[in-house]
Amino acid sequence: MKYSLSLTQKLSFLAACLFTIIAPVMGYLTIGLAPVIIVGGSALIGLLCWSFTYLRKPVEPRIILPLFILTVAGLQIHIVEEYLMGFAPAMSRLFDIPWSEKSFLMVFALIGPIIYTLTSLGLYYKIPIAGFVAWFIFIGPGVAEFTHFIFPFITPNLLPHNPRSLTAAIEGTVIPEMPNFYFRTTGHYYFPGMWTAILPMVPGCLAIYRLLIKNKPT
């Protein structure tokens, strides 16, 4: 049986495609390659999964909404640890990118919760584009948090063998107090956000399982 999308579904698909293209490009222009890989990869996988699940058959709010709220709640706790331990400046030193704490807070602590709140409302009313945002969160801040366990083994681009914090200008932006969490230099296995990375991962992975296995569109 041939399946046809409604106008709302088509517009939602177009908006999701534009986000998948524009967000990584903006991230690359403002920060560097890392956002392209993380944000772009998560958005692309989310787009594909959403296209074959929620876009065609919106899931009942009682199934997806609690898991989404748990994922973003875990994410916000996770962001607190990242901020306190210097995630943005640590990433700047690791990848030689100009990621300031101000931009980190603006995106994840201020703009992010607004998006999460509106997405929750959209999931309640089964709005298609809300399903895409949910998929993006389940895969990006959800599954992709495992990268925190890999970062300590990556050689930083800036003075990898100097354990002291570094202040330097990167592409014209001064990034103060960039810590070094390189395991071979510090001898400690840690990277900002690693302790709480599991919090959004568990409900995020469970949501993906339920959306792919339990609620396949017919």
Side-chain angles (χ1 to χ4, degrees), residues 39-188:
V39 176
S42 299
L44 180 58
I45 296 173
L47 177 66
L48 293 174
C49 293
W50 168 71
S51 299
F52 292 102
T53 56
Y54 196 97
L55 178 62
R56 299 189 179 192
K57 181 183 177 183
V59 177
E60 289 298 321
R62 62 182 177 80
I63 295 175
I64 190 173
L65 188 52
L67 290 172
F68 178 76
I69 292 174
L70 287 174
T71 302
V72 297
L75 176 60
Q76 290 305 108
I77 297 173
H78 172 63
I79 289 172
V80 171
E81 181 196 347
E82 288 185 329
Y83 171 70
L84 292 176
M85 302 306 292
F87 177 78
M91 290 288 284
S92 294
R93 183 166 184 171
L94 189 63
F95 295 110
D96 192 14
I97 57 177
W99 197 358
S100 66
E101 286 192 335
K102 180 180 178 180
S103 63
F104 172 83
L105 290 174
M106 181 61 69
V107 173
F108 292 104
L110 299 177
I111 297 176
I114 297 174
I115 296 174
Y116 308 151
T117 302
L118 294 176
T119 300
S120 298
L121 186 64
L123 292 175
Y124 180 81
Y125 287 106
K126 298 183 180 180
I127 298 175
I129 193 62
F132 167 73
V133 178
W135 262 108
F136 174 72
I137 297 299
F138 293 147
I139 293 174
V143 176
E145 294 295 347
F146 79 90
T147 53
H148 284 72
F149 300 96
I150 300 174
F151 288 149
F153 297 111
I154 300 177
T155 306
N157 276 277
L158 302 176
L159 301 180
H161 303 297
N162 184 350
R164 296 176 180 273
S165 294
L166 172 67
T167 297
I170 303 176
E171 297 181 13
T173 301
V174 176
I175 308 296
E177 299 296 321
M178 292 183 286
N180 188 356
F181 291 97
Y182 185 36
F183 178 73
R184 291 188 177 182
T185 297
T186 65
H188 301 290

